[in-house]
Amino acid sequence: MVRQRWPRLRHPAQAVVVGFAAAIVAGTGLLMLPVAKAGPGGAGVLEALFTSTSAVCVTGLIVVDTPEYWTGFGQAVILGLIQVGGFGIMTFASLLVLLVSHRFGLKARMTAAAETKTLGLGDVRSVVTGVVKVSLLLEAITALVLTLRFATAYDESWPRALWLGVFHAVSAFNNAGFALYSDSLMGFVTDPWICLPIALAVIAGGLGFPVLFELRRRFRKPRGWSLHTKIVLWATVVFLVGGSAFITALEWSNPATLGPLDAPGKLLAGFFQGVMPRTAGFNSLDTSQMNPASWLGTDVLMFIGGASAGTAGGIKVTTFAVLFFVIYAEIRGEGAVNIFHRRLHGDLQRQALTVVLLSVAAVAVTTVAFMVFSDHNLDQSLFEVTSAFATVGLSTGITADLPVGLQLLLIALMFIGRLGPITVASALALRTRVRLFDLPEERPVIG
């Protein structure tokens, strides 16, 4: 009898891809159980698959109304998938290994390092435990504030307030954007005790775990911060301020969004909407009623996203910053690319260019498919596609009505966007090819 051999995972990135896929399949199975769906019968395969993918990939796009379609069990499954997806599948698996056996083998360290972007294998164990500790701490603080607000200001019972607080805190820190209100957070548009804790949790999750760890150790020594931390913090400030100001200015007089609010309410709502494109899908304004120019600006913010090795999506602010300084150096005629008195290696420049071009290709091809196979215009199609790829979850309200084929495309985009184009590509590569010779050099005409 010939024993069937399972294909070996030769690259650590392959294990990450397979792990995420397995979690999505498991979540789909749980959500298809009759106990997970409100009303008779169980959820359909597409509804369960889409919701599971959106939760594991911490996106927030939905095809069914979360508070109405899913029972408490179904919502708990979604919350668990968000938390596991935010930790990272291999990080979560590594944590279980540590708890059970108190050992951390080489293979486990390699797969966890591939997922958390850890530079060395020696510190993977501390990174894994640190990810869990930081996540739970920040989620607990956010949940406490939200629970108190829901209970004292909105007459929710303490058990209900606690559930609302925990769910939205986990969803916010993991940049997921799932909400237990049919209109997301539009009912709290002028409530700073709801909007600000959620926004701050989104920002913290979007900074990435390496930055959070370094800030915890060297908060008062900015001169000792790594180049990665400096880039992330500066880019975060620029995009938060610029994005919030952009949306606030364009929507200030829009009667369907900021128009009816007073000045403090407009500033709060504008700031909240400027934070969410960092890849969290909450909205306190009706996104479908925003100006097309606001949609386009939001597309750009979503595409850039947050920082690496965290819960954010997009091409990442570090990728954008690297390409920005490459262009800056080229314009100045400088041979080397320097950022904050540090020189960038050529490999980083090629990686950044690869990420951007693959990402643009994925968004462009899917947007064309939307325009061919649906009746939606370019603005709506591009917004929905970018939101899925960047794992944001903001929507103009067209996702639920899309044809099955386009919803499946969004599922694929969420999966690719969460793992990253390079991770997926390297996971599919069976081996690294080394060229043993160099070809003659020649320079084509550029521009």
Side-chain angles (χ1 to χ4, degrees), residues 20 24 28 31 46-64 66 70 78 81-83 85-86 171 174-178 279 281 387-388 391-394 399 407 410-415 418:
F20 268 86
I24 290 171
T28 301
L31 291 175
L46 181 61
E47 290 81 4
L49 175 61
F50 195 100
T51 303
S52 178
T53 305
S54 185
V56 172
C57 297
V58 292
T59 304
L61 282 177
I62 56 175
V63 291
V64 293
T66 303
W70 304 109
I78 292 173
L81 295 175
I82 291 172
Q83 186 68 86
S171 184
N174 290 287
N175 281 214
F178 278 89
T279 74
S387 180
T391 68
V392 178
L394 291 173
T399 300
Q407 290 182 353
L410 290 183
I411 289 174
L413 272 184
M414 289 188 288
F415 187 79
R418 175 66 177 118

mmCIF file of all heavy atoms in Angstrom, residues 20 24 28 31 46-64 66 70 78 81-83 85-86 171 174-178 279 281 387-388 391-394 399 407 410-415 418:
data_model
loop_
_atom_site.group_PDB
_atom_site.id
_atom_site.type_symbol
_atom_site.label_atom_id
_atom_site.label_comp_id
_atom_site.label_asym_id
_atom_site.label_seq_id
_atom_site.Cartn_x
_atom_site.Cartn_y
_atom_site.Cartn_z
ATOM 1 N N PHE A 20 -3.578 30.862 7.241
ATOM 2 C CA PHE A 20 -4.697 31.782 7.068
ATOM 3 C C PHE A 20 -5.843 31.114 6.319
ATOM 4 O O PHE A 20 -7.016 31.292 6.663
ATOM 5 C CB PHE A 20 -4.237 33.039 6.328
ATOM 6 C CG PHE A 20 -3.796 34.153 7.229
ATOM 7 C CD1 PHE A 20 -2.494 34.216 7.696
ATOM 8 C CD2 PHE A 20 -4.677 35.133 7.629
ATOM 9 C CE1 PHE A 20 -2.079 35.233 8.537
ATOM 10 C CE2 PHE A 20 -4.279 36.163 8.467
ATOM 11 C CZ PHE A 20 -2.971 36.209 8.924
ATOM 12 N N ILE A 24 -9.701 30.442 7.677
ATOM 13 C CA ILE A 24 -10.887 30.890 6.941
ATOM 14 C C ILE A 24 -11.855 29.733 6.733
ATOM 15 O O ILE A 24 -13.071 29.873 6.906
ATOM 16 C CB ILE A 24 -10.469 31.517 5.599
ATOM 17 C CG1 ILE A 24 -9.758 32.854 5.841
ATOM 18 C CG2 ILE A 24 -11.681 31.717 4.689
ATOM 19 C CD1 ILE A 24 -9.131 33.448 4.597
ATOM 20 N N THR A 28 -15.546 29.465 8.246
ATOM 21 C CA THR A 28 -16.694 29.263 7.355
ATOM 22 C C THR A 28 -17.571 28.129 7.863
ATOM 23 O O THR A 28 -18.806 28.231 7.886
ATOM 24 C CB THR A 28 -16.210 28.953 5.926
ATOM 25 O OG1 THR A 28 -15.414 30.038 5.454
ATOM 26 C CG2 THR A 28 -17.386 28.754 4.988
ATOM 27 N N LEU A 31 -19.550 29.283 10.942
ATOM 28 C CA LEU A 31 -20.616 30.234 10.628
ATOM 29 C C LEU A 31 -21.760 29.588 9.848
ATOM 30 O O LEU A 31 -22.861 30.137 9.795
ATOM 31 C CB LEU A 31 -20.041 31.403 9.820
ATOM 32 C CG LEU A 31 -19.105 32.339 10.587
ATOM 33 C CD1 LEU A 31 -18.505 33.394 9.663
ATOM 34 C CD2 LEU A 31 -19.842 33.022 11.744
ATOM 35 N N LEU A 46 -21.546 31.118 0.604
ATOM 36 C CA LEU A 46 -20.934 32.388 0.217
ATOM 37 C C LEU A 46 -20.954 33.390 1.363
ATOM 38 O O LEU A 46 -19.956 34.067 1.621
ATOM 39 C CB LEU A 46 -21.647 32.970 -1.006
ATOM 40 C CG LEU A 46 -21.076 34.292 -1.537
ATOM 41 C CD1 LEU A 46 -19.624 34.114 -1.965
ATOM 42 C CD2 LEU A 46 -21.897 34.810 -2.704
ATOM 43 N N GLU A 47 -22.109 33.502 2.050
ATOM 44 C CA GLU A 47 -22.204 34.444 3.175
ATOM 45 C C GLU A 47 -21.197 34.087 4.271
ATOM 46 O O GLU A 47 -20.529 34.965 4.829
ATOM 47 C CB GLU A 47 -23.621 34.442 3.750
ATOM 48 C CG GLU A 47 -24.673 35.067 2.851
ATOM 49 C CD GLU A 47 -25.171 34.125 1.772
ATOM 50 O OE1 GLU A 47 -24.750 32.947 1.773
ATOM 51 O OE2 GLU A 47 -25.965 34.563 0.925
ATOM 52 N N ALA A 48 -21.106 32.779 4.577
ATOM 53 C CA ALA A 48 -20.180 32.347 5.623
ATOM 54 C C ALA A 48 -18.736 32.539 5.194
ATOM 55 O O ALA A 48 -17.890 33.004 5.976
ATOM 56 C CB ALA A 48 -20.443 30.884 5.978
ATOM 57 N N LEU A 49 -18.422 32.187 3.937
ATOM 58 C CA LEU A 49 -17.050 32.318 3.443
ATOM 59 C C LEU A 49 -16.623 33.778 3.394
ATOM 60 O O LEU A 49 -15.501 34.129 3.800
ATOM 61 C CB LEU A 49 -16.938 31.689 2.056
ATOM 62 C CG LEU A 49 -15.584 31.844 1.345
ATOM 63 C CD1 LEU A 49 -14.481 31.176 2.147
ATOM 64 C CD2 LEU A 49 -15.649 31.270 -0.073
ATOM 65 N N PHE A 50 -17.497 34.648 2.891
ATOM 66 C CA PHE A 50 -17.161 36.066 2.788
ATOM 67 C C PHE A 50 -16.925 36.659 4.183
ATOM 68 O O PHE A 50 -15.947 37.373 4.415
ATOM 69 C CB PHE A 50 -18.275 36.832 2.078
ATOM 70 C CG PHE A 50 -17.884 38.205 1.616
ATOM 71 C CD1 PHE A 50 -17.541 38.429 0.295
ATOM 72 C CD2 PHE A 50 -17.836 39.279 2.501
ATOM 73 C CE1 PHE A 50 -17.155 39.699 -0.139
ATOM 74 C CE2 PHE A 50 -17.464 40.546 2.076
ATOM 75 C CZ PHE A 50 -17.120 40.758 0.755
ATOM 76 N N THR A 51 -17.827 36.350 5.113
ATOM 77 C CA THR A 51 -17.706 36.895 6.464
ATOM 78 C C THR A 51 -16.465 36.360 7.165
ATOM 79 O O THR A 51 -15.747 37.112 7.840
ATOM 80 C CB THR A 51 -18.954 36.549 7.291
ATOM 81 O OG1 THR A 51 -20.115 37.040 6.616
ATOM 82 C CG2 THR A 51 -18.880 37.174 8.676
ATOM 83 N N SER A 52 -16.189 35.062 7.008
ATOM 84 C CA SER A 52 -15.010 34.469 7.634
ATOM 85 C C SER A 52 -13.731 35.085 7.078
ATOM 86 O O SER A 52 -12.814 35.430 7.836
ATOM 87 C CB SER A 52 -15.013 32.952 7.407
ATOM 88 O OG SER A 52 -13.856 32.364 7.961
ATOM 89 N N THR A 53 -13.657 35.249 5.764
ATOM 90 C CA THR A 53 -12.477 35.857 5.148
ATOM 91 C C THR A 53 -12.299 37.291 5.617
ATOM 92 O O THR A 53 -11.187 37.728 5.946
ATOM 93 C CB THR A 53 -12.590 35.831 3.616
ATOM 94 O OG1 THR A 53 -12.809 34.497 3.167
ATOM 95 C CG2 THR A 53 -11.336 36.387 2.968
ATOM 96 N N SER A 54 -13.394 38.034 5.657
ATOM 97 C CA SER A 54 -13.331 39.424 6.086
ATOM 98 C C SER A 54 -12.867 39.534 7.537
ATOM 99 O O SER A 54 -12.128 40.457 7.894
ATOM 100 C CB SER A 54 -14.708 40.083 5.923
ATOM 101 O OG SER A 54 -14.651 41.454 6.230
ATOM 102 N N ALA A 55 -13.282 38.590 8.387
ATOM 103 C CA ALA A 55 -12.886 38.624 9.794
ATOM 104 C C ALA A 55 -11.434 38.204 9.981
ATOM 105 O O ALA A 55 -10.663 38.883 10.666
ATOM 106 C CB ALA A 55 -13.813 37.724 10.615
ATOM 107 N N VAL A 56 -11.041 37.090 9.380
ATOM 108 C CA VAL A 56 -9.662 36.609 9.524
ATOM 109 C C VAL A 56 -8.675 37.601 8.921
ATOM 110 O O VAL A 56 -7.589 37.822 9.469
ATOM 111 C CB VAL A 56 -9.506 35.224 8.865
ATOM 112 C CG1 VAL A 56 -8.042 34.806 8.824
ATOM 113 C CG2 VAL A 56 -10.330 34.183 9.607
ATOM 114 N N CYS A 57 -9.056 38.216 7.815
ATOM 115 C CA CYS A 57 -8.195 39.208 7.163
ATOM 116 C C CYS A 57 -8.403 40.604 7.725
ATOM 117 O O CYS A 57 -7.928 41.591 7.137
ATOM 118 C CB CYS A 57 -8.441 39.200 5.652
ATOM 119 S SG CYS A 57 -8.032 37.631 4.859
ATOM 120 N N VAL A 58 -9.124 40.702 8.850
ATOM 121 C CA VAL A 58 -9.404 41.947 9.571
ATOM 122 C C VAL A 58 -9.769 43.079 8.619
ATOM 123 O O VAL A 58 -9.168 44.154 8.634
ATOM 124 C CB VAL A 58 -8.232 42.349 10.505
ATOM 125 C CG1 VAL A 58 -8.109 41.364 11.650
ATOM 126 C CG2 VAL A 58 -6.898 42.425 9.774
ATOM 127 N N THR A 59 -10.780 42.819 7.805
ATOM 128 C CA THR A 59 -11.212 43.798 6.811
ATOM 129 C C THR A 59 -12.461 44.538 7.267
ATOM 130 O O THR A 59 -12.434 45.747 7.485
ATOM 131 C CB THR A 59 -11.475 43.110 5.457
ATOM 132 O OG1 THR A 59 -10.304 42.411 5.048
ATOM 133 C CG2 THR A 59 -11.837 44.138 4.402
ATOM 134 N N GLY A 60 -13.583 43.832 7.393
ATOM 135 C CA GLY A 60 -14.813 44.479 7.819
ATOM 136 C C GLY A 60 -15.868 44.618 6.748
ATOM 137 O O GLY A 60 -16.976 45.067 7.040
ATOM 138 N N LEU A 61 -15.542 44.273 5.493
ATOM 139 C CA LEU A 61 -16.580 44.269 4.465
ATOM 140 C C LEU A 61 -17.586 43.164 4.767
ATOM 141 O O LEU A 61 -17.218 42.071 5.217
ATOM 142 C CB LEU A 61 -15.974 44.037 3.082
ATOM 143 C CG LEU A 61 -15.301 45.221 2.401
ATOM 144 C CD1 LEU A 61 -14.697 44.786 1.063
ATOM 145 C CD2 LEU A 61 -16.281 46.367 2.181
ATOM 146 N N ILE A 62 -18.873 43.423 4.543
ATOM 147 C CA ILE A 62 -19.904 42.448 4.863
ATOM 148 C C ILE A 62 -20.900 42.341 3.714
ATOM 149 O O ILE A 62 -21.088 43.285 2.941
ATOM 150 C CB ILE A 62 -20.662 42.823 6.152
ATOM 151 C CG1 ILE A 62 -21.266 44.234 6.041
ATOM 152 C CG2 ILE A 62 -19.746 42.722 7.367
ATOM 153 C CD1 ILE A 62 -22.123 44.632 7.229
ATOM 154 N N VAL A 63 -21.503 41.158 3.609
ATOM 155 C CA VAL A 63 -22.578 40.947 2.641
ATOM 156 C C VAL A 63 -23.910 40.728 3.346
ATOM 157 O O VAL A 63 -24.949 40.666 2.699
ATOM 158 C CB VAL A 63 -22.263 39.748 1.721
ATOM 159 C CG1 VAL A 63 -21.103 40.071 0.792
ATOM 160 C CG2 VAL A 63 -21.975 38.492 2.536
ATOM 161 N N VAL A 64 -23.878 40.588 4.681
ATOM 162 C CA VAL A 64 -25.088 40.493 5.497
ATOM 163 C C VAL A 64 -24.917 41.399 6.715
ATOM 164 O O VAL A 64 -23.789 41.712 7.107
ATOM 165 C CB VAL A 64 -25.355 39.040 5.952
ATOM 166 C CG1 VAL A 64 -25.704 38.158 4.759
ATOM 167 C CG2 VAL A 64 -24.173 38.464 6.713
ATOM 168 N N THR A 66 -24.378 42.321 10.215
ATOM 169 C CA THR A 66 -23.778 41.571 11.319
ATOM 170 C C THR A 66 -24.694 41.437 12.531
ATOM 171 O O THR A 66 -24.911 40.324 13.028
ATOM 172 C CB THR A 66 -22.438 42.204 11.738
ATOM 173 O OG1 THR A 66 -21.562 42.258 10.600
ATOM 174 C CG2 THR A 66 -21.778 41.410 12.850
ATOM 175 N N TRP A 70 -26.468 37.446 12.247
ATOM 176 C CA TRP A 70 -25.769 36.474 13.084
ATOM 177 C C TRP A 70 -26.285 36.497 14.508
ATOM 178 O O TRP A 70 -26.630 37.556 15.043
ATOM 179 C CB TRP A 70 -24.261 36.762 13.087
ATOM 180 C CG TRP A 70 -23.642 36.792 11.730
ATOM 181 C CD1 TRP A 70 -23.175 37.878 11.060
ATOM 182 C CD2 TRP A 70 -23.429 35.667 10.847
ATOM 183 N NE1 TRP A 70 -22.683 37.530 9.836
ATOM 184 C CE2 TRP A 70 -22.822 36.173 9.664
ATOM 185 C CE3 TRP A 70 -23.685 34.306 10.944
ATOM 186 C CZ2 TRP A 70 -22.480 35.359 8.604
ATOM 187 C CZ3 TRP A 70 -23.339 33.492 9.877
ATOM 188 C CH2 TRP A 70 -22.753 34.008 8.729
ATOM 189 N N ILE A 78 -17.136 35.436 14.893
ATOM 190 C CA ILE A 78 -16.513 36.539 14.149
ATOM 191 C C ILE A 78 -15.461 37.232 15.017
ATOM 192 O O ILE A 78 -14.353 37.538 14.540
ATOM 193 C CB ILE A 78 -17.591 37.538 13.694
ATOM 194 C CG1 ILE A 78 -18.500 36.896 12.644
ATOM 195 C CG2 ILE A 78 -16.953 38.815 13.136
ATOM 196 C CD1 ILE A 78 -19.699 37.745 12.267
ATOM 197 N N LEU A 81 -12.384 35.090 15.187
ATOM 198 C CA LEU A 81 -11.634 35.127 13.931
ATOM 199 C C LEU A 81 -10.873 36.436 13.781
ATOM 200 O O LEU A 81 -9.741 36.452 13.282
ATOM 201 C CB LEU A 81 -12.595 34.933 12.747
ATOM 202 C CG LEU A 81 -13.292 33.575 12.650
ATOM 203 C CD1 LEU A 81 -14.299 33.578 11.501
ATOM 204 C CD2 LEU A 81 -12.273 32.454 12.463
ATOM 205 N N ILE A 82 -11.489 37.529 14.209
ATOM 206 C CA ILE A 82 -10.799 38.827 14.156
ATOM 207 C C ILE A 82 -9.558 38.802 15.033
ATOM 208 O O ILE A 82 -8.477 39.249 14.628
ATOM 209 C CB ILE A 82 -11.741 39.963 14.605
ATOM 210 C CG1 ILE A 82 -12.856 40.177 13.582
ATOM 211 C CG2 ILE A 82 -10.962 41.259 14.813
ATOM 212 C CD1 ILE A 82 -13.928 41.140 14.059
ATOM 213 N N GLN A 83 -9.705 38.264 16.255
ATOM 214 C CA GLN A 83 -8.575 38.250 17.181
ATOM 215 C C GLN A 83 -7.446 37.365 16.677
ATOM 216 O O GLN A 83 -6.275 37.753 16.706
ATOM 217 C CB GLN A 83 -9.039 37.759 18.552
ATOM 218 C CG GLN A 83 -7.967 37.852 19.626
ATOM 219 C CD GLN A 83 -7.612 39.268 19.992
ATOM 220 O OE1 GLN A 83 -8.247 39.890 20.834
ATOM 221 N NE2 GLN A 83 -6.595 39.824 19.342
ATOM 222 N N GLY A 85 -6.927 36.497 13.527
ATOM 223 C CA GLY A 85 -6.369 37.131 12.340
ATOM 224 C C GLY A 85 -5.493 38.316 12.675
ATOM 225 O O GLY A 85 -4.492 38.577 12.001
ATOM 226 N N GLY A 86 -5.858 39.054 13.724
ATOM 227 C CA GLY A 86 -5.047 40.190 14.145
ATOM 228 C C GLY A 86 -3.724 39.759 14.754
ATOM 229 O O GLY A 86 -2.675 40.353 14.479
ATOM 230 N N SER A 171 -12.314 44.714 17.565
ATOM 231 C CA SER A 171 -12.459 45.057 16.158
ATOM 232 C C SER A 171 -11.649 46.301 15.810
ATOM 233 O O SER A 171 -11.064 46.385 14.723
ATOM 234 C CB SER A 171 -13.935 45.276 15.823
ATOM 235 O OG SER A 171 -14.128 45.520 14.451
ATOM 236 N N ASN A 174 -7.638 45.671 16.042
ATOM 237 C CA ASN A 174 -7.215 44.815 14.943
ATOM 238 C C ASN A 174 -7.573 45.398 13.582
ATOM 239 O O ASN A 174 -7.430 44.720 12.556
ATOM 240 C CB ASN A 174 -7.825 43.427 15.099
ATOM 241 C CG ASN A 174 -7.227 42.669 16.267
ATOM 242 O OD1 ASN A 174 -6.102 42.209 16.211
ATOM 243 N ND2 ASN A 174 -7.980 42.556 17.352
ATOM 244 N N ASN A 175 -8.036 46.642 13.573
ATOM 245 C CA ASN A 175 -8.354 47.348 12.328
ATOM 246 C C ASN A 175 -9.354 46.571 11.484
ATOM 247 O O ASN A 175 -9.257 46.544 10.247
ATOM 248 C CB ASN A 175 -7.075 47.611 11.523
ATOM 249 C CG ASN A 175 -6.280 48.799 12.043
ATOM 250 O OD1 ASN A 175 -5.652 49.526 11.288
ATOM 251 N ND2 ASN A 175 -6.328 49.027 13.342
ATOM 252 N N ALA A 176 -10.311 45.904 12.142
ATOM 253 C CA ALA A 176 -11.270 45.068 11.426
ATOM 254 C C ALA A 176 -12.482 45.857 10.952
ATOM 255 O O ALA A 176 -12.929 45.706 9.817
ATOM 256 C CB ALA A 176 -11.711 43.897 12.292
ATOM 257 N N GLY A 177 -13.069 46.675 11.817
ATOM 258 C CA GLY A 177 -14.187 47.505 11.384
ATOM 259 C C GLY A 177 -15.547 46.851 11.491
ATOM 260 O O GLY A 177 -16.550 47.445 11.085
ATOM 261 N N PHE A 178 -15.623 45.616 12.006
ATOM 262 C CA PHE A 178 -16.927 45.007 12.258
ATOM 263 C C PHE A 178 -17.601 45.748 13.413
ATOM 264 O O PHE A 178 -16.961 46.061 14.410
ATOM 265 C CB PHE A 178 -16.776 43.533 12.631
ATOM 266 C CG PHE A 178 -16.628 42.616 11.457
ATOM 267 C CD1 PHE A 178 -15.372 42.345 10.938
ATOM 268 C CD2 PHE A 178 -17.734 42.033 10.866
ATOM 269 C CE1 PHE A 178 -15.216 41.493 9.853
ATOM 270 C CE2 PHE A 178 -17.599 41.180 9.780
ATOM 271 C CZ PHE A 178 -16.336 40.907 9.270
ATOM 272 N N THR A 279 -7.138 51.502 7.526
ATOM 273 C CA THR A 279 -7.566 50.121 7.307
ATOM 274 C C THR A 279 -8.550 49.634 8.344
ATOM 275 O O THR A 279 -8.678 48.443 8.568
ATOM 276 C CB THR A 279 -6.408 49.097 7.174
ATOM 277 O OG1 THR A 279 -5.834 48.844 8.418
ATOM 278 C CG2 THR A 279 -5.363 49.577 6.190
ATOM 279 N N GLY A 281 -12.696 49.640 9.125
ATOM 280 C CA GLY A 281 -13.891 49.925 8.341
ATOM 281 C C GLY A 281 -15.043 50.565 9.073
ATOM 282 O O GLY A 281 -16.170 50.536 8.583
ATOM 283 N N SER A 387 -10.805 49.130 -0.905
ATOM 284 C CA SER A 387 -11.145 48.808 0.473
ATOM 285 C C SER A 387 -10.893 47.342 0.773
ATOM 286 O O SER A 387 -10.395 46.988 1.848
ATOM 287 C CB SER A 387 -12.616 49.158 0.738
ATOM 288 O OG SER A 387 -12.975 48.855 2.071
ATOM 289 N N ALA A 388 -11.237 46.464 -0.168
ATOM 290 C CA ALA A 388 -11.015 45.035 0.030
ATOM 291 C C ALA A 388 -9.528 44.701 0.018
ATOM 292 O O ALA A 388 -9.024 44.009 0.908
ATOM 293 C CB ALA A 388 -11.746 44.229 -1.040
ATOM 294 N N THR A 391 -7.690 45.818 3.030
ATOM 295 C CA THR A 391 -8.340 45.269 4.232
ATOM 296 C C THR A 391 -8.882 46.377 5.127
ATOM 297 O O THR A 391 -8.659 46.390 6.323
ATOM 298 C CB THR A 391 -7.376 44.353 5.022
ATOM 299 O OG1 THR A 391 -6.319 45.124 5.600
ATOM 300 C CG2 THR A 391 -6.812 43.261 4.146
ATOM 301 N N VAL A 392 -9.596 47.314 4.513
ATOM 302 C CA VAL A 392 -10.157 48.448 5.248
ATOM 303 C C VAL A 392 -11.569 48.132 5.721
ATOM 304 O O VAL A 392 -11.864 48.125 6.912
ATOM 305 C CB VAL A 392 -10.153 49.722 4.382
ATOM 306 C CG1 VAL A 392 -10.780 50.894 5.146
ATOM 307 C CG2 VAL A 392 -8.746 50.061 3.956
ATOM 308 N N GLY A 393 -12.471 47.871 4.781
ATOM 309 C CA GLY A 393 -13.849 47.569 5.154
ATOM 310 C C GLY A 393 -14.821 48.707 4.941
ATOM 311 O O GLY A 393 -16.028 48.516 5.093
ATOM 312 N N LEU A 394 -14.345 49.912 4.606
ATOM 313 C CA LEU A 394 -15.264 50.986 4.249
ATOM 314 C C LEU A 394 -15.974 50.626 2.949
ATOM 315 O O LEU A 394 -15.388 49.993 2.068
ATOM 316 C CB LEU A 394 -14.510 52.306 4.091
ATOM 317 C CG LEU A 394 -13.944 52.930 5.370
ATOM 318 C CD1 LEU A 394 -13.086 54.146 5.035
ATOM 319 C CD2 LEU A 394 -15.071 53.332 6.324
ATOM 320 N N THR A 399 -21.443 46.184 -1.842
ATOM 321 C CA THR A 399 -20.868 44.839 -1.722
ATOM 322 C C THR A 399 -21.935 43.752 -1.690
ATOM 323 O O THR A 399 -21.823 42.723 -2.358
ATOM 324 C CB THR A 399 -19.984 44.747 -0.470
ATOM 325 O OG1 THR A 399 -18.924 45.694 -0.575
ATOM 326 C CG2 THR A 399 -19.381 43.364 -0.337
ATOM 327 N N GLN A 407 -18.064 39.043 -5.783
ATOM 328 C CA GLN A 407 -17.855 38.832 -4.354
ATOM 329 C C GLN A 407 -16.704 37.859 -4.116
ATOM 330 O O GLN A 407 -15.922 38.030 -3.175
ATOM 331 C CB GLN A 407 -19.144 38.323 -3.704
ATOM 332 C CG GLN A 407 -20.250 39.361 -3.637
ATOM 333 C CD GLN A 407 -21.503 38.854 -2.943
ATOM 334 O OE1 GLN A 407 -21.614 37.670 -2.619
ATOM 335 N NE2 GLN A 407 -22.464 39.740 -2.715
ATOM 336 N N LEU A 410 -13.555 39.769 -4.438
ATOM 337 C CA LEU A 410 -13.264 40.529 -3.221
ATOM 338 C C LEU A 410 -12.675 39.626 -2.139
ATOM 339 O O LEU A 410 -11.785 40.041 -1.387
ATOM 340 C CB LEU A 410 -14.533 41.207 -2.700
ATOM 341 C CG LEU A 410 -15.075 42.373 -3.532
ATOM 342 C CD1 LEU A 410 -16.290 42.990 -2.847
ATOM 343 C CD2 LEU A 410 -14.010 43.437 -3.755
ATOM 344 N N ILE A 411 -13.166 38.389 -2.054
ATOM 345 C CA ILE A 411 -12.605 37.439 -1.094
ATOM 346 C C ILE A 411 -11.124 37.212 -1.390
ATOM 347 O O ILE A 411 -10.272 37.221 -0.490
ATOM 348 C CB ILE A 411 -13.387 36.107 -1.148
ATOM 349 C CG1 ILE A 411 -14.789 36.298 -0.548
ATOM 350 C CG2 ILE A 411 -12.635 35.002 -0.393
ATOM 351 C CD1 ILE A 411 -15.674 35.075 -0.688
ATOM 352 N N ALA A 412 -10.807 37.001 -2.662
ATOM 353 C CA ALA A 412 -9.403 36.797 -3.050
ATOM 354 C C ALA A 412 -8.566 38.031 -2.745
ATOM 355 O O ALA A 412 -7.426 37.926 -2.261
ATOM 356 C CB ALA A 412 -9.316 36.451 -4.534
ATOM 357 N N LEU A 413 -9.122 39.208 -3.003
ATOM 358 C CA LEU A 413 -8.383 40.449 -2.736
ATOM 359 C C LEU A 413 -8.116 40.632 -1.248
ATOM 360 O O LEU A 413 -7.027 41.067 -0.854
ATOM 361 C CB LEU A 413 -9.170 41.647 -3.269
ATOM 362 C CG LEU A 413 -8.945 42.054 -4.726
ATOM 363 C CD1 LEU A 413 -9.736 43.319 -5.020
ATOM 364 C CD2 LEU A 413 -7.479 42.271 -5.030
ATOM 365 N N MET A 414 -9.110 40.341 -0.413
ATOM 366 C CA MET A 414 -8.909 40.460 1.034
ATOM 367 C C MET A 414 -7.803 39.522 1.494
ATOM 368 O O MET A 414 -6.963 39.887 2.332
ATOM 369 C CB MET A 414 -10.217 40.176 1.782
ATOM 370 C CG MET A 414 -11.267 41.259 1.631
ATOM 371 S SD MET A 414 -12.711 41.025 2.698
ATOM 372 C CE MET A 414 -13.528 39.627 1.900
ATOM 373 N N PHE A 415 -7.797 38.312 0.966
ATOM 374 C CA PHE A 415 -6.777 37.328 1.343
ATOM 375 C C PHE A 415 -5.389 37.796 0.920
ATOM 376 O O PHE A 415 -4.442 37.783 1.706
ATOM 377 C CB PHE A 415 -7.116 35.983 0.696
ATOM 378 C CG PHE A 415 -6.241 34.849 1.132
ATOM 379 C CD1 PHE A 415 -6.445 34.216 2.339
ATOM 380 C CD2 PHE A 415 -5.204 34.413 0.321
ATOM 381 C CE1 PHE A 415 -5.630 33.167 2.745
ATOM 382 C CE2 PHE A 415 -4.385 33.362 0.714
ATOM 383 C CZ PHE A 415 -4.606 32.740 1.929
ATOM 384 N N ARG A 418 -4.264 40.979 2.937
ATOM 385 C CA ARG A 418 -3.848 40.740 4.324
ATOM 386 C C ARG A 418 -2.449 40.143 4.383
ATOM 387 O O ARG A 418 -1.629 40.506 5.223
ATOM 388 C CB ARG A 418 -4.840 39.797 5.021
ATOM 389 C CG ARG A 418 -4.433 39.387 6.437
ATOM 390 C CD ARG A 418 -4.441 40.576 7.366
ATOM 391 N NE ARG A 418 -4.114 40.188 8.729
ATOM 392 C CZ ARG A 418 -3.060 40.619 9.403
ATOM 393 N NH1 ARG A 418 -2.217 41.455 8.840
ATOM 394 N NH2 ARG A 418 -2.846 40.229 10.651
#
